[in-house]
Amino acid sequence: MGNDSSGTGEMTASGPGYALLLAAGPAGKQRLMDAAAALPQLAAVPPAALLGTAGGASVVQLVDPADPQTVLTHLRTAAAHPGPVLVHLAGQLTVDTKQRLPHLALARTTPRTARYTALPWHWLAAELGRRPPGRTTVLADLVADETAWPKILDGSLSGERLAAGLTLYGAVAPAPPKRQLAAPVYSRALAALLRGAADRPPFALLHQRAVTKAGLGGGPELLLGGAIDAYAPPEAALWGGRDGRDVRNGRGAPVAAPETASPPMPTAAPALPHPPEPSHAPEPGRAPAPDPHAAIFAAAHAGRHSEAASMAAAWEQEALRAAGPRSAEAIHWLEVRADLARLAHDPARACELWLAVADARLGNGESAGDPQVEGAVDRAHHQWQFVQDRARAGALAPLLIELRERVPGRRPGALEAARRRAELLGARAHTG
């Protein structure tokens, strides 16, 4: 469900999880999505696959609730669960007329009564944001009504704002033509991928695959890529080098010692690729837009990880809208997010994102021997070595090994090293 940086999450990460599947929408002509159609296929996914928990999960379905307090009670139950939690939302995004705040429309919601009859979006962050970092994921398959979509278009209701305090993946689409209902295509794609996967991929990669499978990203949809995570606080140690060592304390002590006598990966991961050329030339008479990378990485190196992640997320959203989820620009910003996760001392998150980069490049037809494909897998492997939570490292192992089999890289023994560590992680998980 994300990296557990608290150091106490091994038991809960491998224990039972909790999933709340919510489908909601106004009754009658105000309804824009057949939200309930999202649940049967998701509910048919084995609970352990839905959350990626070896101990299974409790799955609760909530269809067309009429009272925000009822939903709040279910959210509080989910927030109190000690294990990993998944909240899935299918339905309609609306904005109240007085405070202009986003809400999830419920059965009795109308544009005039949203403030009282819809679920305030900030309640999600208020309830779920108290949980330990990395234990909670929100998936959203939404349609924006006539009050919300203009705010998405003008940027006042952004993906960053919706994701504040949450690890959020999903899509927000405009309303369908009149007298038609939108289908929950993102949810259906997720369910199909989960049913067909031998091992559930990390949510960053699952989201990317679902966007592609659902045919999203080429239109006006707002894609929610999970970019605004609870990164380490400003006082956390920064990784000054790419070898997983804490150089701030002057000792150069490794974050985690190797768990096997496997051949080591390179002590320095490949450098981050330069940003791609812009898709379009600037308009005549206008100066090119300033390069955002310096400001983003300055914030990260200063310990302002949330600020850096927010800036990168905004540029990623622009790339997704302009060029699509597997464009060079979108993949580049995925790479930037991966490096920001490394700087935020979150190797599990960095590994997930580098795996997503490699998967996207291979999906674009790039060869296994391409330096950028090899570099992405090498970086993922490199970060994986420093994931201290054994359950989290074990969950990432199958995907890394699958990619290592396709992209062995240029260092002998890398695949065998990954397999040996995965076996050791499995043995330790069984012996405690």
Side-chain angles (χ1 to χ4, degrees), residues 241-245 262-271 374-375 377-383 385-386 404 408-414 417:
R242 290 181 180 261
D243 60 350
R245 296 174 185 269
S262 319
M265 291 295 294
T267 55
E374 287 184 339
V377 179
D378 285 348
R379 293 183 190 97
H381 194 163
H382 183 79
Q383 291 298 313
Q385 292 183 116
F386 300 102
R404 265 292 174 223
R410 303 189 182 189
R411 187 173 181 85

Side-chain angles (χ1 to χ4, degrees), residues 194-207:
L194 287 168
R195 289 197 307 271
D199 297 288
R200 187 185 65 74
F203 276 111
L205 183 52
L206 182 63
H207 165 75

Side-chain angles (χ1 to χ4, degrees), residues 23-318:
K29 296 180 180 179
Q30 297 291 332
R31 184 173 296 234
L32 301 177
M33 174 188 273
D34 185 9
L39 297 194
Q41 295 181 49
L42 281 170
V45 175
L50 192 62
L51 279 93
T53 51
S58 300
V59 179
V60 175
Q61 298 185 53
L62 190 60
V63 181
D64 280 335
D67 181 10
Q69 293 297 327
T70 299
V71 182
L72 180 61
T73 298
H74 281 274
L75 285 173
R76 287 176 173 168
T77 300
H81 187 78
V85 167
L86 171 67
V87 175
H88 178 274
L89 308 173
Q92 196 163 315
L93 194 65
T94 191
V95 170
D96 75 280
T97 56
K98 185 173 183 180
Q99 295 180 304
R100 313 302 296 171
L101 294 175
H103 290 64
L104 182 70
L106 302 181
R108 295 185 298 179
T109 300
T110 67
R112 292 184 178 180
T113 65
R115 188 181 177 195
Y116 307 101
T117 61
L119 177 77
W121 190 264
H122 61 269
W123 285 10
L124 288 167
E127 297 302 324
L128 302 177
R130 302 189 187 103
R131 290 174 49 77
R135 308 276 189 87
T136 313
T137 300
V138 179
L139 302 176
D141 190 350
L142 304 174
V143 168
D145 69 8
E146 70 277 7
T147 68
W149 188 249
K151 295 178 74 66
I152 289 175
L153 291 178
D154 67 21
S156 58
L157 183 54
S158 63
E160 295 88 339
R161 182 177 176 187
L162 292 173
L166 301 169
T167 299
L168 176 67
Y169 297 96
V172 184
K178 289 185 178 181
R179 293 184 292 277
Q180 293 186 27
L181 289 179
V185 293
Y186 179 82
S187 301
R188 288 174 175 171
L190 278 173
L193 289 167
L194 287 168
R195 289 197 307 271
D199 297 288
R200 187 185 65 74
F203 276 111
L205 183 52
L206 182 63
H207 165 75
Q208 186 183 60
R209 290 177 175 176
V211 165
T212 301
K213 186 176 182 65
L216 300 172
E221 304 91 358
L222 174 65
L223 299 181
L224 309 169
I228 312 301
D229 282 344
Y231 283 105
E235 64 271 19
L238 294 179
W239 292 15
R242 290 181 180 261
D243 60 350
R245 296 174 185 269
D246 177 0
V247 300
R248 184 186 65 167
N249 60 18
R251 298 192 304 270
V255 175
E259 301 188 33
T260 69
S262 319
M265 291 295 294
T267 55
L272 187 70
H274 296 306
E277 292 296 319
S279 300
H280 306 286
E283 295 179 14
R286 294 186 61 180
D291 184 351
H293 295 78
I296 290 171
F297 281 97
H301 283 288
R304 303 193 308 274
H305 300 295
S306 293
E307 178 186 335
S310 180
M311 288 191 285
W315 282 93
E316 183 187 31
Q317 286 293 329
E318 180 60 29

